[in-house]
DNA sequence: GTAAATGCAAATTGTTTGCTTACTG
DNA sequence: CAGTAAGCAAACAATTTGCATTTAC
């Protein structure tokens, strides 16, 4: 049995969380690294990753596996809807109220405990541009 | 303006698609590589990746960015629901009928064109096991 | 015959880990 | 002062790419 880990406070973690909360985008670890480095020039990328994992573990932030194999981070843990732009790939927070219903049969096969909806569409920028070249 | 690419037929692509369609799991490129190699021992992993991209481009299969930075592939392009097991991480096809509703405001900000629901829960195996150690 | 697809290996990219030092509680 | 966190660099793993050769149309 594993013991519960105790967390200690760190300036780096504070800054990472602050910077992530500051933006409404969903930056990757590397993007965030760039942002944080402006305030803490000596921070290392490894620290950013470690803290992002830790913050996600604590439920302070949310990790998103994204297309292209990168992980994006959302600093806003309260539920809100997302839309992925099918043109540029960005993840956009949207206002839309979503309702999901599904039948959740009581069975030994599986048990559904929660859900997430991902919406796809066009973001403002791409919507107002003409289509890019084929592909 | 980019010209439309013309596809040529290849045995490797056929086998990759066949093997992917054969299973109801959602293998990674590497897993699929193992499956395909039984029939085409000389195929290379690069070819598998190239063909999976190409098949996804054609809409024959679907790519899933997964937690852990891997991409999973679904050979069954007709819509069906998925559940991700929060314990073991596998993606399970489920029977549940899902209905999603959301308001899709007509605005310049964005335009929603489609959606996907991801369900989370426990798969049969994990449901019938006791919890693993903390964390 | 031309362009697309393959096999192979090397390169790239995102992420994790090991280790020593610094810092928190 | 015990154990967590940082910084740095090396290691890893998934995926992509360059190139010479083969294959499809």
């Amino acid at each position: 049995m594993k013991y519960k880990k105790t967390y200690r406070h760190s300036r780096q973690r504070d800054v990472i969380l602050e910077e992530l909360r500051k933006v409404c985008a969903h930056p990757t670890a590397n993007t965030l690294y760039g942002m944080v480095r402006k305030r803490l020039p000596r921070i290392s990328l490894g620290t950013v990753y470690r803290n992002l994992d830790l913050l996600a573990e604590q439920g302070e932030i949310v990790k998103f596996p994204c297309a292209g194999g990168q992980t994006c981070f959302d600093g806003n843990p309260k539920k809100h809807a997302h839309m992925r732009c099918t043109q540029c790939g960005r993840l956009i927070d949207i206002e839309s109220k979503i309702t999901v219903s599904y039948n959740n049969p009581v069975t030994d096969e599986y048990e559904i405990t929660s859900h997430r909806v991902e919406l796809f569409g066009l973001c403002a920028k791409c919507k107002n541009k003409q289509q890019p070249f084929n592909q």
Side-chain angles (χ1 to χ4, degrees), chain A residues 4-99:
Chain A
K4 182 142 157 269
K5 180 179 177 180
T6 63
Y7 298 109
R8 287 187 188 172
H9 192 247
S10 93
R11 168 100 180 113
Q12 285 84 339
R13 183 146 64 241
D14 284 351
V15 174
I16 289 168
L17 187 53
E18 277 171 29
E19 291 298 316
L20 185 53
R21 292 258 161 94
K22 197 181 280 181
V23 295
C24 55
H26 306 81
T28 61
N30 198 51
T31 306
L32 197 51
Y33 174 50
M35 293 157 60
V36 170
R37 222 169 2 164
K38 289 182 189 154
R39 292 173 58 185
L40 304 173
R42 305 199 37 116
I43 199 172
S44 79
L45 184 54
T47 298
V48 173
Y49 272 105
R50 269 191 276 236
N51 277 305
L52 286 171
D53 274 346
L54 197 152
L55 288 165
E57 199 178 303
Q58 295 178 328
E60 293 286 329
I61 68 174
V62 177
K63 282 172 95 160
F64 274 97
C66 288
Q70 296 210 156
T71 304
C72 295
F73 296 86
D74 186 341
N76 191 349
K78 67 177 193 295
K79 273 196 176 17
H80 58 268
H82 287 126
M83 184 196 78
R84 166 126 14 230
C85 180
T86 51
Q87 208 82 96
C88 66
R90 265 181 316 191
L91 199 59
I92 318 284
D93 283 338
I94 62 167
E95 310 289 305
S96 188
K97 180 163 210 114
I98 305 176
T99 323

